[in-house]
Structure formats: structure tokens, C-alpha cells
Amino acid sequence: MGCRGFFKGWLALGAVLAGGPAWAADPPEWTMPTEPFRIADNLYYVGTKGLAAYLIVSRDGAILIDGPMERNVALIERNIRRVGVPLHRVRLIVSNHAHDDHVGGIAGIRRDTGARFLASAADRPALERGIPQSDVDYGVRRFPAVKVDKVIGDGEVVRLGEVALTAHLTPGHTPGCTSWSMVARDAGRLRRVFFPCSITVAGNRLFGNRGYPGIVADFRRTFAKLAKMHADIVLPGHPESADVIERGARRRAGQADAFVDRGLLPAMVAEQRAAFEAEVAKARRKAG
């Protein structure tokens, strides 16, 4: 796909969440099993074909990033075990943002593993009620409520064993949208890994949003923040937007640097910033 082709993935996602006529139901890939695979020495993909979950393994246990959809709990837990990690070794769970396709399975995984769940303050109300906060065009998509064991702040470092995972609050898609970063060792090389929260509008109402009145200003601050960041490897919650599954196949076939794409994050930010401003202009015309 390369650093340009990811935009098609974001557009497809926007159509899904906006409830366009071509999408009467969730894409089948969202609940389709896929084999887990290694991304770096201690970092694995353990999600489905269409929704990502990432497992970071340390000497003191593992951290899971996201638990996409309640229906996927068994698939994700199977993949965790298949990379050699018993469920009780999952010690921490963190989330990307409070939408059902990224956190719907966390309550079940938290119950089965005994892990502690960490999330941002702004997404905490939605997570603990199981109802997203923002007004959207596609209706309310509920998910199993999950207790937040610890609130994390911007720049806070979550540590487990030798792993240090840093939270970056990047609101817009949801009020508490959280991106994460870490340095991973990859066959002797150190790689800057970035797990971006979504930066698509995807059905959010930009004006007159009673649940999230500051959405436009938050999006703009997030784009400015992300434009200053750098990453060697970018791992989003929707794998097609960064060609994650295909990169995994190329790595298994012998391409050691298949996940390295330093141009991906700036391209993603530039494309989505332009798309956002176009949505703002469209919403203004409609309102006026």
C-alpha cells in the first residue's frame, strides 16, 4: 500500500462509521480471524483481519493495546495464547479510543486476564457507561462498560518490566482519544513505534455537537501535535490504513524492514488534516 495508499483505508472506515448506504452492517473483516504475527522482537499483532489489537511482551508480563468488539474476545485471547503468552500474563490493557470497534472486547478480556485497564480522563465516562460521548450521524453504538482502574495523562509513561509505553492525548475523534508510543528492539535495531488514535471525522458532528462542543478545536490541536512527531513504524487500530496485515506477510517472507515506513505518519497527518478542513467547510455551508 505504501505511505499514500493508506488514505483509501481511512475513507472506507469513514463510510462505515457514517452509516453510508453501502454499509448495512459492519465489514466482515472486523470479526474475521487472522493468524497472529510478530512485528518487532517483543511486539505482536493479535487482532482480527480488520481490527487491530497489539501485544507488547515484557519480562514482567504483557500489555494489550485495544480489545476490538465484544464478539472478538475469544479470537483475541486465542491469538494471545498462540504467541506464547498465557492469559494471566496480560497485566495491563490500554485503549485507543472509546468506540465499540476498539474497546468493545476490553471488559471481557479484563475479566479473563485479571489485567488492570488504563485510559484517559476524557474517555473514562464513555468507557464506564458503554456509550460514546460525541453526537454522531450514525446513531449510538453501545459496548460493554468497563471500569477504568487508572487514569493516564498526556505524556505519562506506563511501565511494565523493561517496556515503557508513552501516552499522547490526541482528542478529536473522541474527547479522550489516546495515541501511544514506544521504542522496540527489532532484530538488533531500535525502532520508534507509534500507535495513532484515529484522526478521521467519521460521522462526528462538527458543529452543534452537544456531547462534544470543543471537537473542532481539539482536532486542530491534535493535527498540529502529530505533525511534529516522528515514527519508524506506525500501527493504527484499523490495519488496512497502514497495510499492517500485508506488511506482516512480507516480514514473514523475509523482508526484515517490512514495517519501517518513516513517511507514513506525516502523510497520514497531512491527508487527514486536509480532509478534516474540507469537512469543516462542508458543515459550515450546510449550517449556513
Side-chain angles (χ1 to χ4, degrees):
M1 184 182 288
C3 69
R4 300 287 301 178
F6 74 88
F7 190 45
K8 294 181 180 179
W10 286 118
L11 289 176
L13 170 61
V16 173
L17 293 182
W23 298 98
D26 292 337
E29 291 81 8
W30 283 12
T31 53
M32 189 177 295
T34 191
E35 291 299 310
F37 54 86
R38 188 190 300 269
I39 297 168
D41 288 5
N42 67 334
L43 174 59
Y44 298 86
Y45 186 92
V46 293
T48 67
K49 186 174 182 181
L51 292 173
Y54 300 102
L55 192 73
I56 307 163
V57 181
S58 83
R59 60 175 175 261
D60 292 338
I63 303 172
L64 178 68
I65 299 180
D66 280 355
M69 303 191 76
E70 184 179 15
R71 287 174 287 168
N72 290 331
V73 168
L75 297 178
I76 295 165
E77 292 181 349
R78 180 205 68 172
N79 282 349
I80 291 170
R81 290 191 295 263
R82 292 185 86 167
V83 300
V85 178
L87 291 184
H88 73 270
R89 291 286 290 170
V90 178
R91 299 290 172 79
L92 297 174
I93 303 172
V94 299
S95 67
N96 186 292
H97 63 273
H99 283 162
D100 70 306
D101 52 331
H102 299 282
V103 300
I106 288 180
I109 298 170
R110 179 177 176 272
R111 177 197 64 224
D112 295 343
T113 61
R116 299 174 69 232
F117 177 47
L118 285 57
S120 66
D123 266 2
R124 183 178 187 174
L127 291 162
E128 295 192 338
R129 290 185 302 149
I131 304 172
Q133 181 174 327
S134 180
D135 298 333
V136 295
D137 295 335
Y138 52 83
V140 177
R141 291 177 61 108
R142 296 174 180 264
F143 53 86
V146 56
K147 180 182 181 296
V148 175
D149 296 297
K150 183 180 185 296
V151 169
I152 53 93
D154 190 35
E156 185 167 344
V157 179
V158 175
R159 298 185 186 276
L160 186 66
E162 72 278 18
V163 170
L165 186 64
T166 302
H168 306 272
L169 299 187
T170 50
H173 192 74
T174 67
C177 216
T178 306
S179 301
W180 299 89
S181 68
M182 65 177 288
V183 174
R185 189 170 294 279
D186 180 22
R189 301 285 298 274
L190 295 179
R191 307 290 193 190
R192 298 166 299 178
V193 182
F194 193 64
F195 306 88
C197 191
S198 178
I199 48 175
T200 61
V201 174
N204 275 294
R205 295 178 188 170
L206 297 177
F207 298 102
N209 192 325
R210 292 170 297 178
Y212 189 4
I215 186 171
V216 171
D218 274 358
F219 260 119
R220 285 179 172 148
R221 281 191 289 267
T222 284
F223 285 124
K225 182 176 186 175
L226 291 176
K228 299 175 183 177
M229 301 188 75
H230 304 279
D232 302 310
I233 296 173
V234 180
L235 301 173
H238 289 268
E240 75 278 4
S241 63
D243 209 16
V244 175
I245 303 292
E246 290 75 10
R247 290 177 192 269
R250 296 205 303 270
R251 180 186 168 106
R252 291 194 298 276
Q255 184 182 339
D257 63 348
F259 285 99
V260 177
D261 189 344
R262 296 179 183 89
L264 180 55
L265 183 59
M268 179 184 295
V269 173
E271 293 277 15
Q272 285 306 307
R273 192 179 220 166
F276 167 76
E277 293 299 345
E279 288 289 335
V280 169
K282 180 180 177 182
R284 280 198 179 122
R285 288 194 300 270
K286 186 176 180 180

